[in-house]
Amino acid sequence: MSARLPPLKPLPAFEAAARLLSFTEAAEELYVTQAAISHQIKQLEDAMGVRLFRRLNRALLLTEEGQAFAGTVRQALHLIADGADRVKRQDESGPLNVSCLPSFASAWLVPRLARFRADHPEIDIRLSADYELTDFDAEDIDLAIRWGTGGYNDLHEIRLMTEEVFPVCSPRLLEDPEKPLEKPEDLAQHTLLHDDIRTDWRVWLKAAGVTGVNPDKGPRYNFSNLVLQAAIAGEGVALGRSAIAHDALEQGLLVKPFDFSLPSDFAYWIVCPQERADRPKIRAFSDWLLKEAETA
């Protein structure tokens, strides 16, 4: 800005004193002392090289210059206040850009978003589902839901939910008397469905104490929901992750043939830059996610 500005700090004091024609009342309104108001007005007058007030024994009057400047200052402060209010409203409403894994988005998050919209119609979720870690400095993402072990550098993080891993299959597979599925050892007679994203049959079989089952044989999928869809279709037995398989189990599309579950080292985390954590939209969505996770 080429024009030389007067000191900005005294402007609220000047506006209040000009409007009330009283340093005492201006001090009460701004929660400062009368001496502070007087000092700021003098600072402003010295910087501008003009008298803004005529100080009489029992009255305070604006000079001609003071009257002209008061209108300008009042208009400028109103513009600043309106602009700040618009920014605040934008931070409380409008779009919220969220990133998460495609499997989590389709199997867990999207089926629940209608409840968030009902609670917060002023916030529009814009969901980006991909496998890449979010670069908050380079991407227009406000909040991400990550699957991992936590410890995301300098990001603000909240653990959303832990996970367990267990076999799941279509109820139809339990109806075949020639190929029972009553104990983990029976998996030797069934097709194992594999998820390339960290869900390892070898680890689960070892933890369950099962031998005689080939942990590597069977079709593989690079998308967790495809594995569950194959299981729902009766193609075999999949290792389900509790968050991803939850709704299909609730709806009876999948069943757990065995009781044994293996706690996962991975969990779901809500992450965002530290400086954004308390923004109203981010806090509202984070609180809603945690509430949903409690009932999942």
Side-chain angles (χ1 to χ4, degrees), residues 214-249:
N214 187 341
D216 300 314
K217 189 176 180 180
R220 309 190 73 89
Y221 304 84
N222 68 345
F223 183 37
S224 299
N225 251 23
L226 292 178
V227 182
L228 293 187
Q229 288 301 317
I232 291 171
E235 295 297 318
V237 183
L239 271 182
R241 305 196 330 250
S242 52
I244 304 301
H246 176 273
D247 287 3
L249 289 167

Side-chain angles (χ1 to χ4, degrees), residues 16-38:
R19 173 167 38 84
L20 299 170
L21 291 178
S22 169
F23 286 1
T24 300
E25 292 182 23
E28 292 175 354
E29 182 176 287
L30 298 177
Y31 298 99
V32 297
T33 64
Q34 181 179 347
I37 296 291
S38 180

